[in-house]
Amino acid sequence: MQEKLIKLKDEALKAIEAVKNSVNLEDLEIKFLGRKNGELTNLMKGLKDLEGEAKKTFGALANEVKTAIEGAMNNKKTEITQSEWAKNLATESIDISQPSLPAQKFGSFHPNTIIQRDLENLFSAMGFMVLDGPELESDYYNFNAVNIPADHPARDMQDTFYIKGFDFFSENPQVMRTQTSPMQVRAMQKYGAPLRVIIPGKVFRNESTDVRHEHTFYQLEGIVIDKDINISHLKGVLQVLVKHLYGPETKLRLRPKYYPFVEPGVNGEVTCFLCEGKGCRVCKHSGWLEILGAGMVHPNVLKEGGVDPKVYQGFAFGFGLTRLVMLKYGIDDIRLLESGDLKFLKQF
Ligand code: FA5
């Protein structure tokens, strides 16, 4: 019995020594140590037929053989695993010069959109509706309805882009809107009085561009119609806006300006962001930057909107939304905003 054990040990150790891969090693494990039919297990079944000292000696030897085979198995397992890793390392390679996968990119809102949304929230909190209007507008709403008849010289102040096939004498000639003011009349016609509404949107003018002027830019129109409305209400709302955007110290200057659709009319300026009022190329060395036109709604415009000027008054304002954006972010050339330059846009 004991010789059988020693023979089994020699055989197992030799076989383990010769094995080259983990699959064959597993087969050997089953062959020698397997619980059901392993050779060592089978030999140990004979233990029950022995007695006394012989049983003791056989038991001890069987344990010694088992430990030796298990130890050899474990050493071989480590050896095989290491050589398999080494083989993988030799065949696989990492190219450290390969560029990394592009990082996930997220878009961001255009600065116009950021400011527009911010102001929509501000005005909504003051009870204003937010409306949208057509960019291709009728000549009637863009000019006539806001008190600028066909032969009025004020039409020269806002030269527009003509539409292909434009016929001034047709029933409904159309233009790319030069201002958001046509929405004053559209809003009154649709909602009547009292009324509190803002209309942000794109406008178009045929003008030579420079650091402050674009041919395509954004305005934000506002109109309030109610009983007992006066110009101090207008000033209050404008001040809320400029202080909200630029801080409590911001100065707003209102000076008389002619607009056919308001009486009296004003233009509004704030301290230039670039030179802080000292004078520079952006503010044409005046220290002030014009950001809006405003005034008390002209009775002719109220009538055009179907509102009785004897009962209701109102004020209206038109901000250059793009100018507000320039001021907010210190952008010294308006043309950057519509340039589609990603380096510029990614900063927001
Ligand atoms: C108007 O467009 C009037 N509709 C504003 C208004 C509304 C007056 C309601 C009274 C009552 P004006 O042409 O001044 O006005 O333009 C208004 C603002 O738009 C200007 O103050 C300026 O901030 C901006 N703006 C005008 N032209 C340009 C331009 N070419 N590029 C960028 N911003 C401009």
Side-chain angles (χ1 to χ4, degrees):
M1 286 283 275
Q2 290 187 12
E3 287 96 70
K4 277 189 185 167
L5 267 180
I6 292 173
K7 202 172 155 222
L8 176 70
K9 180 181 156 195
D10 291 345
E11 196 191 326
L13 294 184
K14 255 190 218 155
I16 292 168
E17 179 59 38
V19 89
K20 293 271 184 280
N21 60 52
S22 46
V23 179
N24 291 352
L25 188 66
E26 263 172 43
D27 290 345
L28 287 184
E29 196 170 1
I30 296 166
K31 182 176 182 233
F32 292 110
L33 302 176
R35 282 211 191 150
K36 259 194 178 170
N37 257 330
E39 291 186 15
L40 182 64
T41 319
N42 287 343
L43 272 183
M44 286 181 64
K45 281 177 192 160
L47 194 67
K48 66 179 187 318
D49 303 326
L50 298 174
E51 283 182 357
E53 199 56 33
K55 191 172 189 174
K56 219 173 157 189
T57 319
F58 182 81
L61 184 62
N63 265 342
E64 198 187 302
V65 170
K66 192 177 177 213
T67 314
I69 297 175
E70 280 175 350
M73 287 266 177
N74 286 339
N75 290 344
K76 197 66 182 183
K77 247 183 224 165
T78 314
E79 186 188 309
I80 289 174
T81 314
Q82 283 176 351
S83 79
E84 281 173 354
W85 280 351
K87 215 189 283 166
N88 287 345
L89 270 182
T91 50
E92 285 171 8
S93 60
I94 299 169
D95 180 359
I96 57 163
S97 65
Q98 204 174 21
S100 61
L101 291 174
Q104 187 104 26
K105 282 184 189 145
F106 294 98
S108 53
F109 286 117
H110 190 282
N112 277 347
T113 311
I114 298 172
I115 298 297
Q116 182 178 320
R117 290 187 172 195
D118 179 32
L119 295 183
E120 285 174 4
N121 287 338
L122 178 77
F123 279 103
S124 299
M126 292 193 278
F128 283 72
M129 279 194 288
V130 181
L131 295 186
D132 210 0
E135 290 173 7
L136 178 60
E137 183 55 284
S138 70
D139 178 83
Y140 161 73
Y141 278 111
N142 198 75
F143 295 118
N144 299 59
V146 287
N147 210 24
I148 314 178
D151 52 1
H152 199 289
R155 287 201 173 206
D156 289 347
M157 285 154 54
Q158 297 184 6
D159 190 11
T160 184
F161 295 112
Y162 284 92
I163 307 307
K164 201 170 175 192
F166 174 86
D167 177 4
F168 186 73
F169 298 103
S170 68
E171 207 176 289
N172 184 22
Q174 299 209 304
V175 295
M176 297 306 289
R177 69 175 175 191
T178 56
Q179 50 183 348
T180 41
S181 297
M183 281 304 291
Q184 291 182 21
V185 174
R186 283 185 181 275
M188 280 189 275
Q189 287 177 347
K190 184 157 183 192
Y191 298 101
L195 183 71
R196 245 186 258 188
V197 47
I198 58 158
I199 312 100
K202 205 187 260 185
V203 301
F204 310 84
R205 290 188 193 177
N206 176 21
E207 49 186 324
S208 358
T209 60
D210 61 30
V211 289
R212 291 182 314 148
H213 293 89
E214 258 291 14
H215 49 73
T216 302
F217 58 100
Y218 288 79
Q219 287 191 337
L220 185 135
E221 190 84 11
I223 179 163
V224 172
I225 308 286
D226 213 329
K227 291 175 182 164
D228 301 324
I229 291 287
N230 61 55
I231 204 160
S232 63
H233 295 123
L234 166 66
K235 196 172 173 195
V237 169
L238 299 179
Q239 268 174 346
V240 167
L241 182 139
V242 296
K243 286 181 194 293
H244 168 80
L245 279 181
Y246 311 120
E249 303 305 322
T250 313
K251 287 198 188 103
L252 172 74
R253 178 167 91 166
L254 296 181
R255 297 195 300 172
K257 182 169 177 183
Y258 173 71
Y259 290 102
F261 31 92
V262 284
E263 180 58 41
V266 294
N267 104 31
E269 298 161 314
V270 286
T271 325
C272 176
F273 66 89
L274 197 63
C275 60
E276 291 170 348
K278 291 183 200 87
C280 67
R281 68 182 185 124
V282 172
C283 61
K284 276 207 230 145
H285 304 281
S286 69
W288 295 91
L289 202 59
E290 184 196 320
I291 56 163
L292 68 99
M296 300 305 290
V297 182
H298 196 288
N300 287 352
V301 179
L302 290 172
K303 278 189 218 154
E304 205 65 35
V307 172
D308 184 351
K310 291 198 187 86
V311 183
Y312 288 101
Q313 306 79 46
F315 64 80
F317 53 84
F319 281 95
L321 188 63
T322 317
R323 293 261 176 94
L324 298 183
V325 174
M326 289 177 77
L327 270 165
K328 178 75 187 173
Y329 294 112
I331 299 166
D332 64 359
D333 190 334
I334 194 171
R335 293 166 292 194
L336 285 166
L337 285 158
E338 297 291 317
S339 67
D341 180 348
L342 285 180
K343 260 195 220 152
F344 168 74
L345 292 172
K346 275 183 185 160
Q347 300 175 71
F348 299 94

